[in-house]
Amino acid sequence: MKIYFKNNKPFIEGVCLDDIINSYSTPFYIYSQKGITETYNKLIENLNSEIFFSVKANSNQAILKLLKSCGAGADVVSAGELERALAAGFNSEKIIFEGVGKSKNDIQYAINNNIRLINIESINELILVNSIGYSLSKKINIGIRLNPDIDGKTLDKISTGKKTDKFGINIIQLNEIITLIKSCENINLKGISCHIGSQIHDLSTFKDVFQKMKKIANSLSGEGLNIEYVDLGGGFGVNYEKDSDDLDLKELGVLVHSTYNDTPYKISFEPGRFLVARSGILMTKILTTKENGGINFLITDAGMHTLIRPSMYGAIHRVQAINNLNTKTIIYTIAGPICESSDILVKNINLPKQEINNYLAILDVGAYGAVMAS
Ligand code: PLP
């Protein structure tokens, strides 16, 4: 989603930004229906697989409804997310439930709503799901979320697929869990899944994941287990420093087809960030300007309470000025109003000279933005 100027007025997709600013008080998020729809279609075109939107990236009801209408399923990690997906109209057969720490209530809620799969992440969880199935006289459809021990070469805070990460079931425990599953009368194993982390840009990492998962699926099928679904996770990288160079979907598509075209499995993915990151802008107003210790601060009404990614992960977001465009640029640090020194949105950014009550647009915030606000 881009901001462009016509007669010195800022526009997004034909809508004058001034009209939105005059109608709503800042800070607020703006999303692009067109951007999300086009990205979803691009994913389908290239991957030709089922897409489950990872609701944790953005659980805004309008966005969930939009993705549902495009044909996506939903990937949830809590009863709250499941409730939001159901409220947005997702068919329960198009919902999968992952999550490293599901409570008994979460699991019961998922079972009562007949979702497609509960992807279990530990042996204890398997035992719990089986016992709930027993008490309800039901066979529960599950997948196993595997931890393939592959380094996504991403930030430690968003890595999930190394054997020392807390997620999934370690491959060395696979035989043990399969033996247990075979003895569980109220469990029906239908698939395997994995997700090795977020912001993965390296295709060779996906290649390793696809091949390892194929080997496991084939080996389980060889044992007589009915592996219908292979879910290859999300994690598709977005380049926050420019408008281009996100993960190459065409190459990813070639990789997935060349790996799985000789298999019977239904392949799915569960991207979050890639679907929505580029289609969100955060508008904020400058509350004050000041110079402290040689640093030029712009203090804005958005901060870590509105967008926590910079202070939590050191994430970088580009910022676009929409006022005073023709003034000389200055190096600024943009900070929020919260009483935490870590409440910094961007450091050392070059912007035209700004004043109180000017507006700034923080770009590419459609994923893990509003959903993590407090
Ligand atoms: N699936 C699972 C299990 C996840 O934990 C996550 C995010 O952490 C995702 C999918 C979505 O990841 P991304 O937003 O990087 O695509």
Side-chain angles (χ1 to χ4, degrees):
M1 181 160 46
K2 283 205 181 96
I3 298 177
Y4 57 94
F5 292 85
K6 248 179 19 194
N7 303 327
N8 279 334
K9 283 188 174 297
F11 281 81
I12 299 175
E13 295 175 10
V15 179
C16 181
L17 202 43
D18 290 348
D19 293 343
I20 310 179
I21 287 168
N22 292 333
S23 307
Y24 299 94
S25 53
T26 51
F28 60 81
Y29 283 83
I30 305 172
Y31 297 113
S32 165
Q33 175 172 349
K34 180 169 168 270
I36 294 171
T37 308
E38 283 176 1
T39 310
Y40 178 81
N41 290 339
K42 222 162 53 180
L43 279 168
I44 290 293
E45 206 176 287
N46 286 287
L47 303 182
N48 194 21
S49 309
E50 220 176 350
I51 299 293
F52 291 85
F53 174 56
S54 189
V55 171
K56 71 180 67 150
N58 194 322
S59 63
N60 178 300
Q61 286 291 284
I63 289 177
L64 294 185
K65 283 179 185 161
L66 171 64
L67 283 165
K68 191 242 156 201
S69 76
C70 290
D75 163 44
V76 302
V77 293
S78 68
E81 285 186 8
L82 175 53
E83 197 176 343
R84 291 184 76 77
L86 291 168
F90 282 94
N91 184 314
S92 49
E93 174 45 30
K94 294 272 281 181
I95 301 178
I96 52 175
F97 190 175
E98 316 225 65
V100 70
K102 306 177 193 75
S103 71
K104 190 172 176 186
N105 282 348
D106 288 343
I107 294 168
Q108 271 166 337
Y109 184 58
I111 291 173
N112 290 340
N113 280 290
N114 294 314
I115 66 165
R116 180 183 296 181
L117 288 180
I118 298 176
N119 285 337
I120 55 140
E121 298 214 20
S122 69
I123 288 181
N124 286 333
E125 192 180 303
L126 174 69
I127 294 166
L128 178 61
V129 172
N130 187 52
S131 73
I132 297 172
Y134 178 77
S135 67
L136 297 171
S137 305
K138 251 182 164 177
K139 238 177 150 68
I140 314 300
N141 291 331
I142 65 153
I144 308 174
R145 175 167 175 190
L146 291 164
N147 179 319
D149 193 22
I150 292 175
D151 185 353
K153 298 176 202 116
T154 184
L155 293 171
D156 263 1
K157 284 180 182 164
I158 50 176
S159 161
T160 58
K162 288 182 284 181
K163 70 177 176 203
T164 46
D165 293 325
K166 68 177 177 178
F167 300 95
I169 291 175
N170 261 281
I171 285 183
I172 46 166
Q173 282 186 304
L174 192 58
N175 286 342
E176 185 186 347
I177 199 149
I178 291 299
T179 307
L180 194 56
I181 285 173
K182 285 178 176 165
S183 72
C184 286
E185 300 213 333
N186 297 89
I187 291 292
N188 186 19
L189 176 67
K190 295 194 78 171
I192 56 173
S193 77
C194 72
H195 170 77
I196 65 155
S198 208
Q199 278 296 65
I200 299 166
H201 293 271
D202 180 6
L203 280 160
S204 70
T205 305
F206 283 106
K207 187 173 178 189
D208 293 347
V209 172
F210 295 176
Q211 286 180 345
K212 207 160 194 173
M213 291 294 282
K214 178 182 177 181
K215 209 165 144 198
I216 294 167
N218 283 346
S219 142
L220 295 178
S221 300
E223 276 191 53
L225 291 155
N226 182 19
I227 302 299
E228 191 178 340
Y229 301 111
V230 174
D231 175 345
L232 297 167
F236 308 166
V238 169
N239 189 335
Y240 284 99
E241 295 183 32
K242 42 175 146 159
D243 274 336
S244 56
D245 292 350
D246 294 347
L247 183 74
D248 187 335
L249 286 186
K250 225 179 198 153
E251 299 267 346
L252 192 72
V254 169
L255 208 53
V256 69
H257 298 137
S258 62
T259 314
Y260 286 96
N261 64 2
D262 60 345
T263 71
Y265 313 121
K266 290 180 184 139
I267 304 300
S268 59
F269 289 91
E270 46 191 57
R273 183 189 311 275
F274 196 90
L275 264 166
V276 290
R278 295 270 191 207
S279 296
I281 282 179
L282 173 60
M283 290 305 306
T284 183
K285 185 152 88 172
I286 297 171
L287 300 174
T288 193
T289 65
K290 66 201 285 186
E291 194 238 281
N292 269 8
I295 296 174
N296 294 304
F297 284 99
L298 299 175
I299 308 290
T300 52
D301 58 5
M304 65 193 297
H305 57 311
T306 336
L307 178 70
I308 203 170
R309 287 176 28 78
S311 56
M312 189 161 164
Y313 304 124
I316 289 168
H317 284 277
R318 291 172 300 157
V319 175
Q320 194 166 341
I322 60 169
N323 310 103
N324 301 5
L325 295 183
N326 298 322
T327 57
K328 201 174 117 232
T329 64
I330 292 184
I331 298 174
Y332 285 112
T333 286
I334 305 173
I338 303 299
C339 299
E340 294 280 353
S341 292
S342 56
D343 184 21
I344 302 286
L345 288 167
V346 189
K347 277 186 180 167
N348 299 328
I349 185 170
N350 249 312
L351 291 175
K353 187 172 187 315
Q354 294 296 300
E355 312 166 16
I356 293 177
N357 292 334
N358 280 174
Y359 292 91
L360 298 173
I362 306 174
L363 307 184
D364 304 327
V365 293
Y368 307 108
V371 78
M372 287 164 81
S374 56

